[in-house]
Amino acid sequence: MSSDSFSDGAERNDSEAAVSATDPIRTKIKQAVTDVHEQTPLAQSFTNFVTINLVANAQLAAGGTAAMSYLPDDVIATAEIAGSNYINVATLLPFFKDALPEIARKLHENGKTWVLDPVAAGIGETRTFILESFRDAPPTIVRGNASEVIALDAMWGLADADSTDPTTRPAGVEAVDEVDAAIDAAKRVARHLAKHSPVGKGAVAVSGAVDLVTDGERTFRLPGGSAMMTKITGAGCSLGGVTATYLAVAEPLVAALAASLLYDRASEIAEVKSDGPGSFQVALLDALWNVTADQVAASDIIETN
């Protein structure tokens, strides 16, 4: 769960089942968390400058290493030594219109993995131009809210012409669609990412009341998290950065699951230990550091058809 929305969760239906304790996906999640702490991988970020400090600190607290830049040549050069990369399109500056498509093309040409947070997808010509430019040189993971994922699916023209999928409208950084409305769009986007991925796989993580993660074939719901995530700036941005940290050591689906689950467990702990938004942010960073691989891997994970 990110800052995008929160509720007590959703009822499980007949098409859903808890992932067993012996499912290999849990072993992979545990290994990803362990590897990050042991390897301290570098995941660089071209991210929202309003939240850049929290993104970097969250990556460090999760066990990784951070590098932040807004210069295309610097980002492209650093990508050669980074395990993965993160692009967040939240607060745009004029030069981003040229810089971000250039960076995406170079990452694609050089076979580098990266995470995209398509913040406020659908708002403004410049933002739309940037996100549309990513279609043919796409990220390896997309992490956003339901409205953003639906908008990206539409921008990239992935739905069939006769699709009855819901339409959405932009609403700043907040979602106006429920997570369930984005399931089909998320699966299409994930399959598109995999088609162009340097590792042959992709994933989409949809943040909401109950997070959803899919690689286009397997789809999981992740209950839990804290409503306090909606009271600090940068919860979703920092989750994107930490997702890139995990992508440096794991396949896309595992990276997206591990990062989302880490945030759910850490935010629950932070809520108990905090007295308000300020202390919550500090407690969140502490919890990101202290949550164990076993705790993350033992989380409630529900697979849905």
Side-chain angles (χ1 to χ4, degrees), residues 8 11 21 36 38-39 59 67 81 86 95 134 141 146 173 182 228 242 246 251 255 259 262 283 293-294 301 303:
D8 291 331
E11 292 184 1
V36 164
E38 292 181 349
Q39 299 176 22
Q59 290 178 311
I81 60 171
Y86 173 49
F95 77 91
F134 294 156
I141 297 175
V173 299
M228 288 299 294
V242 171
Y246 282 114
E251 64 185 71
L262 174 68
D294 284 329
I301 305 173
E303 186 161 11

Short mmCIF file of all heavy atoms in Angstrom, two decimals, residues 8 11 21 36 38-39 59 67 81 86 95 134 141 146 173 182 228 242 246 251 255 259 262 283 293-294 301 303:
data_model
loop_
_atom_site.label_atom_id
_atom_site.label_comp_id
_atom_site.label_asym_id
_atom_site.label_seq_id
_atom_site.Cartn_x
_atom_site.Cartn_y
_atom_site.Cartn_z
N ASP A 8 -9.91 -0.88 4.82
CA ASP A 8 -9.66 -2.05 5.63
C ASP A 8 -9.42 -3.32 4.80
O ASP A 8 -9.09 -4.36 5.33
CB ASP A 8 -10.84 -2.31 6.59
CG ASP A 8 -10.91 -1.23 7.65
OD1 ASP A 8 -9.86 -0.67 7.98
OD2 ASP A 8 -12.02 -0.96 8.12
N GLU A 11 -13.07 -8.31 0.53
CA GLU A 11 -13.43 -9.70 0.77
C GLU A 11 -12.83 -10.60 -0.30
O GLU A 11 -12.73 -10.24 -1.46
CB GLU A 11 -14.96 -9.84 0.77
CG GLU A 11 -15.63 -9.14 1.94
CD GLU A 11 -17.12 -9.40 1.95
OE1 GLU A 11 -17.59 -10.14 1.05
OE2 GLU A 11 -17.82 -8.87 2.83
N ALA A 21 2.57 -21.59 2.17
CA ALA A 21 3.88 -21.33 2.77
C ALA A 21 5.00 -21.98 1.98
O ALA A 21 6.17 -21.58 2.10
CB ALA A 21 3.90 -21.84 4.21
N VAL A 36 19.50 -7.98 -0.95
CA VAL A 36 19.65 -6.53 -0.87
C VAL A 36 20.48 -6.14 0.35
O VAL A 36 21.39 -5.31 0.27
CB VAL A 36 18.27 -5.83 -0.84
CG1 VAL A 36 18.40 -4.39 -0.35
CG2 VAL A 36 17.65 -5.85 -2.23
N GLU A 38 22.66 -8.00 1.90
CA GLU A 38 24.03 -8.51 1.81
C GLU A 38 24.83 -7.84 0.69
O GLU A 38 26.05 -7.66 0.82
CB GLU A 38 23.99 -10.02 1.58
CG GLU A 38 23.48 -10.81 2.78
CD GLU A 38 23.47 -12.31 2.54
OE1 GLU A 38 23.68 -12.72 1.37
OE2 GLU A 38 23.27 -13.06 3.52
N GLN A 39 24.16 -7.42 -0.39
CA GLN A 39 24.87 -6.89 -1.55
C GLN A 39 24.84 -5.37 -1.64
O GLN A 39 25.62 -4.79 -2.41
CB GLN A 39 24.27 -7.49 -2.83
CG GLN A 39 24.38 -9.00 -2.93
CD GLN A 39 23.68 -9.56 -4.15
OE1 GLN A 39 23.46 -8.86 -5.14
NE2 GLN A 39 23.34 -10.84 -4.11
N GLN A 59 15.75 3.93 0.14
CA GLN A 59 16.61 2.94 -0.51
C GLN A 59 17.74 2.50 0.42
O GLN A 59 18.07 1.31 0.49
CB GLN A 59 17.18 3.52 -1.81
CG GLN A 59 16.15 3.69 -2.91
CD GLN A 59 16.74 4.32 -4.15
OE1 GLN A 59 17.43 5.33 -4.09
NE2 GLN A 59 16.47 3.72 -5.30
N ALA A 67 21.67 6.79 -5.77
CA ALA A 67 22.33 7.82 -6.57
C ALA A 67 21.23 8.60 -7.26
O ALA A 67 20.33 8.00 -7.86
CB ALA A 67 23.28 7.21 -7.59
N ILE A 81 26.90 1.10 -14.02
CA ILE A 81 27.37 0.48 -12.78
C ILE A 81 26.23 0.22 -11.80
O ILE A 81 26.44 -0.39 -10.75
CB ILE A 81 28.45 1.35 -12.09
CG1 ILE A 81 27.90 2.74 -11.73
CG2 ILE A 81 29.68 1.47 -12.97
CD1 ILE A 81 28.84 3.56 -10.87
N TYR A 86 15.43 4.06 -11.67
CA TYR A 86 14.07 4.49 -11.31
C TYR A 86 13.79 5.85 -11.92
O TYR A 86 14.60 6.77 -11.80
CB TYR A 86 13.96 4.56 -9.79
CG TYR A 86 12.66 5.13 -9.25
CD1 TYR A 86 11.43 4.70 -9.71
CD2 TYR A 86 12.69 6.10 -8.24
CE1 TYR A 86 10.25 5.22 -9.19
CE2 TYR A 86 11.51 6.62 -7.72
CZ TYR A 86 10.30 6.18 -8.19
OH TYR A 86 9.13 6.69 -7.68
N PHE A 95 12.97 20.84 -19.19
CA PHE A 95 13.93 20.01 -19.91
C PHE A 95 13.64 18.52 -19.80
O PHE A 95 14.21 17.70 -20.53
CB PHE A 95 15.36 20.31 -19.44
CG PHE A 95 15.75 19.71 -18.12
CD1 PHE A 95 16.35 18.46 -18.06
CD2 PHE A 95 15.53 20.40 -16.94
CE1 PHE A 95 16.72 17.90 -16.85
CE2 PHE A 95 15.90 19.85 -15.72
CZ PHE A 95 16.50 18.60 -15.66
N PHE A 134 7.57 6.37 -23.85
CA PHE A 134 8.11 5.17 -23.22
C PHE A 134 7.54 3.88 -23.81
O PHE A 134 8.01 2.79 -23.47
CB PHE A 134 7.82 5.17 -21.71
CG PHE A 134 8.53 6.25 -20.93
CD1 PHE A 134 8.02 6.68 -19.71
CD2 PHE A 134 9.70 6.84 -21.40
CE1 PHE A 134 8.67 7.66 -18.97
CE2 PHE A 134 10.35 7.83 -20.67
CZ PHE A 134 9.84 8.24 -19.45
N ILE A 141 9.40 -2.50 -14.75
CA ILE A 141 8.30 -2.50 -13.78
C ILE A 141 7.62 -1.15 -13.83
O ILE A 141 8.28 -0.11 -13.91
CB ILE A 141 8.81 -2.76 -12.35
CG1 ILE A 141 9.44 -4.14 -12.21
CG2 ILE A 141 7.67 -2.60 -11.33
CD1 ILE A 141 10.06 -4.40 -10.84
N ALA A 146 -4.21 2.90 -9.50
CA ALA A 146 -5.09 2.31 -10.51
C ALA A 146 -5.34 3.25 -11.68
O ALA A 146 -5.28 2.85 -12.85
CB ALA A 146 -6.41 1.89 -9.86
N VAL A 173 -2.15 13.30 -8.15
CA VAL A 173 -1.41 12.11 -7.74
C VAL A 173 -2.32 11.07 -7.10
O VAL A 173 -1.87 10.00 -6.72
CB VAL A 173 -0.28 12.48 -6.75
CG1 VAL A 173 0.71 13.42 -7.41
CG2 VAL A 173 -0.85 13.12 -5.48
N ALA A 182 -8.33 -1.81 -12.47
CA ALA A 182 -7.08 -1.76 -13.23
C ALA A 182 -6.49 -3.15 -13.50
O ALA A 182 -5.41 -3.24 -14.09
CB ALA A 182 -6.06 -0.91 -12.50
N MET A 228 -1.58 5.79 7.56
CA MET A 228 -0.66 6.91 7.74
C MET A 228 0.20 7.15 6.51
O MET A 228 0.79 8.23 6.36
CB MET A 228 0.23 6.67 8.96
CG MET A 228 -0.48 6.81 10.29
SD MET A 228 -1.14 8.48 10.55
CE MET A 228 0.39 9.42 10.64
N VAL A 242 12.55 1.93 -3.89
CA VAL A 242 12.89 0.67 -3.24
C VAL A 242 12.59 -0.51 -4.18
O VAL A 242 13.30 -1.52 -4.18
CB VAL A 242 12.16 0.53 -1.90
CG1 VAL A 242 12.32 -0.88 -1.32
CG2 VAL A 242 12.69 1.56 -0.91
N TYR A 246 15.18 -3.57 -5.26
CA TYR A 246 14.95 -5.02 -5.36
C TYR A 246 15.12 -5.54 -6.78
O TYR A 246 15.56 -6.68 -6.98
CB TYR A 246 13.57 -5.36 -4.81
CG TYR A 246 13.52 -5.39 -3.31
CD1 TYR A 246 12.77 -4.48 -2.59
CD2 TYR A 246 14.25 -6.34 -2.60
CE1 TYR A 246 12.74 -4.50 -1.20
CE2 TYR A 246 14.23 -6.38 -1.21
CZ TYR A 246 13.47 -5.46 -0.51
OH TYR A 246 13.46 -5.48 0.85
N GLU A 251 14.10 -10.91 -10.18
CA GLU A 251 13.25 -10.77 -11.36
C GLU A 251 12.11 -9.79 -11.05
O GLU A 251 11.76 -9.56 -9.89
CB GLU A 251 12.71 -12.12 -11.78
CG GLU A 251 11.80 -12.78 -10.77
CD GLU A 251 11.39 -14.18 -11.19
OE1 GLU A 251 12.23 -15.10 -11.16
OE2 GLU A 251 10.21 -14.35 -11.52
N ALA A 255 10.65 -8.67 -7.38
CA ALA A 255 11.05 -7.35 -6.91
C ALA A 255 9.83 -6.51 -6.52
O ALA A 255 9.82 -5.84 -5.47
CB ALA A 255 11.85 -6.63 -7.99
N ALA A 259 9.10 -5.43 -2.55
CA ALA A 259 9.06 -4.02 -2.17
C ALA A 259 7.70 -3.65 -1.57
O ALA A 259 7.62 -2.97 -0.54
CB ALA A 259 9.36 -3.15 -3.38
N LEU A 262 7.35 -5.29 1.87
CA LEU A 262 8.20 -4.60 2.84
C LEU A 262 7.53 -3.33 3.32
O LEU A 262 7.51 -3.04 4.53
CB LEU A 262 9.55 -4.27 2.20
CG LEU A 262 10.48 -3.40 3.07
CD1 LEU A 262 10.96 -4.18 4.29
CD2 LEU A 262 11.67 -2.91 2.25
N ALA A 283 9.75 6.75 11.82
CA ALA A 283 9.53 5.35 12.21
C ALA A 283 9.47 4.44 10.99
O ALA A 283 9.89 3.27 11.06
CB ALA A 283 8.24 5.23 13.02
N ALA A 293 13.76 -10.47 6.43
CA ALA A 293 13.38 -11.22 5.23
C ALA A 293 12.28 -12.23 5.54
O ALA A 293 11.36 -12.44 4.73
CB ALA A 293 14.61 -11.92 4.65
N ASP A 294 12.35 -12.85 6.70
CA ASP A 294 11.32 -13.81 7.10
C ASP A 294 9.96 -13.12 7.25
O ASP A 294 8.93 -13.68 6.85
CB ASP A 294 11.70 -14.49 8.41
CG ASP A 294 12.78 -15.55 8.24
OD1 ASP A 294 12.82 -16.18 7.16
OD2 ASP A 294 13.58 -15.74 9.16
N ILE A 301 -0.34 -13.21 1.24
CA ILE A 301 -0.31 -13.03 -0.21
C ILE A 301 -1.46 -13.84 -0.78
O ILE A 301 -1.58 -15.04 -0.51
CB ILE A 301 1.02 -13.50 -0.83
CG1 ILE A 301 2.22 -12.82 -0.14
CG2 ILE A 301 1.03 -13.24 -2.32
CD1 ILE A 301 3.56 -13.38 -0.60
N GLU A 303 -3.42 -15.06 -4.24
CA GLU A 303 -3.35 -15.16 -5.70
C GLU A 303 -4.76 -15.14 -6.26
O GLU A 303 -5.67 -15.79 -5.75
CB GLU A 303 -2.62 -16.41 -6.14
CG GLU A 303 -2.40 -16.46 -7.64
CD GLU A 303 -1.30 -17.43 -8.08
OE1 GLU A 303 -0.85 -18.22 -7.22
OE2 GLU A 303 -0.90 -17.38 -9.26
#
